[in-house]
Amino acid sequence: EPSGGHGEVRFATADAVEHALQLSGKTIDGHRISVDLDHRSKDQTKVLISGLPAGLDWHRLKEFFAACGPVLYADVKSSTPLTGQVRFDSAEDAQAVMENLSGAVLDGHKIAMKMHAGSKDGTKLQIFNLPPTIEWQDLKDFFAGHGYQPAFVATSPAGGSATAEVRYDNAEHAEHAIKMLNGSILGGAEITVSRMPLSADGTKLKVTGIPTGIEWQDLKDHFSQCGQVAFVKTDEQKGGGKGFFSPVRPMIPGSFLGGGKGCMAMGAQQQQQQMNMMNMMNLMQMMSAACGKACGGKAVGKGAPRVFQSGAAFPSGAMLQGGAMLQGGGTRCGEVRFDDPAHSRRAAAILNGSQMGDSTIRCGLDSTSNDGSKLWVSGIPATAAWQELKDHFAQCGQVAFANLKEPPEFLRPPPSGPRRGAPGRAR
């Protein structure tokens, strides 16, 4: 397989994929590429590309494959290794996995493992130096192939690296860290350490090139070898990320808030408040999305939110940010019911913010469910079938029912065209 970057392209038809596969061995900007069908693509419309030149952007990739047929999605993956989290049913299984599989090679990457800092029951592991193209299904299959059945698997979002601020108790330790740790390996990636420009006392450092999913505890441990670390903060805490590592997530027993010195686990009451707040935010996000469709916004490039100019007539209840409305397009709503309410709670805690296809989904407990077994789900890819929704949630327990549905009537976009009784007036 050619060395270099990786990417993926999704077409409108399977016929286009047949043409795309014939481009394997061709060159793009002087680099020979390999094109393979993605075995996870149930409709066989997605291909994986390797050997891409460094710095190639998704526009160029889309342009290259446009001759094969209509391209719905194109993306170039970062070469930065990913991290993962895996939970097992018992501490004994987790310990056995660490002893037997830490150091194993997965798609050319020698992976490392350690007990997750927030795992009080010893069942959750952190995995480092995962291949940049891996997805959670691949990681789950890797463990299953070695005789271990994980209860939950997640990988950090691909597509880039994180930046962090590290502060020492004195400037001498900070200077020592620059000399010793600049260019060191963390989570399988080479990091860059430099002095923060606005640090008056010389104790603040800027760290770049950190694999997404590396937690503040890991960063603190890495820098503690040079002196007393007073504070650590990563940019992932402030904004985003996909899947399990999204900072907007429910706090479950054994999990910790990202932050600096003095970070502590949340109590049961705080956990419930966090869950309630998150569910409200998810509902507002879904309303905003529906309202955005009503206003006819258009996507701005790959993965970009839809932006609507301020001053437009938005339906009541729209969520505005900085004079604009944000909406991720091409998604649907749905519901999932488990055979056991405990599995529903587990899914709400684990899968909210997870990646399904090319979309980040949101889910929460349905307040109308008398037995607590039902979840609402938003952000489902428009092309997904109910079986895919069921398969995604099955990792948390036995799914009794899965369904894709239209949003409530008050969230649906109004029909296009002029209103009846008011000919010629724009809605």
Side-chain angles (χ1 to χ4, degrees), residues 210-222:
I210 305 165
T212 53
I214 290 289
E215 300 191 356
W216 69 270
Q217 296 97 329
D218 305 309
L219 204 57
K220 180 179 179 181
D221 291 345
H222 188 73

Side-chain angles (χ1 to χ4, degrees), residues 88-98 115 121-125:
F88 293 91
D89 290 328
S90 69
E92 291 75 19
D93 285 348
Q95 189 63 39
V97 168
M98 274 203 303
M115 189 64 64
D121 60 0
T123 62
K124 186 177 179 182
L125 303 178

Side-chain angles (χ1 to χ4, degrees), residues 237-260:
Q237 291 167 227
K238 294 183 287 185
K242 297 178 180 178
F244 184 78
F245 294 100
S246 169
V248 182
R249 62 182 183 270
M251 303 302 297
I252 57 178
S255 63
F256 285 76
L257 280 172

Side-chain angles (χ1 to χ4, degrees), residues 402-424:
N403 186 35
L404 298 171
K405 55 195 294 187
E406 296 296 326
E409 186 174 353
F410 74 96
L411 290 178
R412 296 176 191 170
S416 58
R419 296 178 181 176
R420 288 185 178 180

